[in-house]
Amino acid sequence: MTGGPLPEGAVAPVVTLPDTHGASVTVGGPAASATLLVFVPFAFSRTCTAELTELQDGLEELRGAGVRVLAASCDPVFALSAW
C-alpha cells in the first residue's frame, strides 16, 4: 500500500495497535464499523487538546450515528496517561 488518502468507498487496511493499557485495538478491513481515527501527534499541545475536546463534546452524536471514535498518538504511554 502506498501513502496518501484512500479513494472514496475503498476498504481501510487492517491496523492493530496497543491501547494505553497494552490491549490490542484493531481497526479497518471489510467488516469494520464506521470508525473515526484521529491522529494526535503531541500530548499537551493546544491544537491536540482543542481537537479532542471538540470530539468529546460531539461524542454522543457520533456514537448515536454508529461511529467508533479512536485517537492514535506516538507519544509515550506515560505522557498520554498524564495528559
Side-chain angles (χ1 to χ4, degrees):
M1 176 174 182
T2 61
L6 297 172
E8 185 175 330
V11 175
V14 176
V15 178
T16 302
L17 296 168
D19 69 8
T20 54
H21 306 289
S24 293
V25 176
T26 300
V27 296
S33 60
T35 301
L36 174 61
L37 180 58
V38 181
F39 291 94
V40 186
F42 302 110
F44 301 103
S45 74
R46 287 184 191 180
T47 301
C48 294
T49 300
E51 182 177 24
L52 287 184
T53 299
E54 282 194 42
L55 284 170
Q56 184 172 350
D57 291 345
L59 193 56
E60 287 302 315
E61 183 178 350
L62 289 165
R63 285 183 177 160
V67 178
R68 180 182 181 199
V69 180
L70 300 171
S73 177
C74 58
D75 285 310
V77 172
F78 300 111
L80 293 172
S81 295
W83 184 41

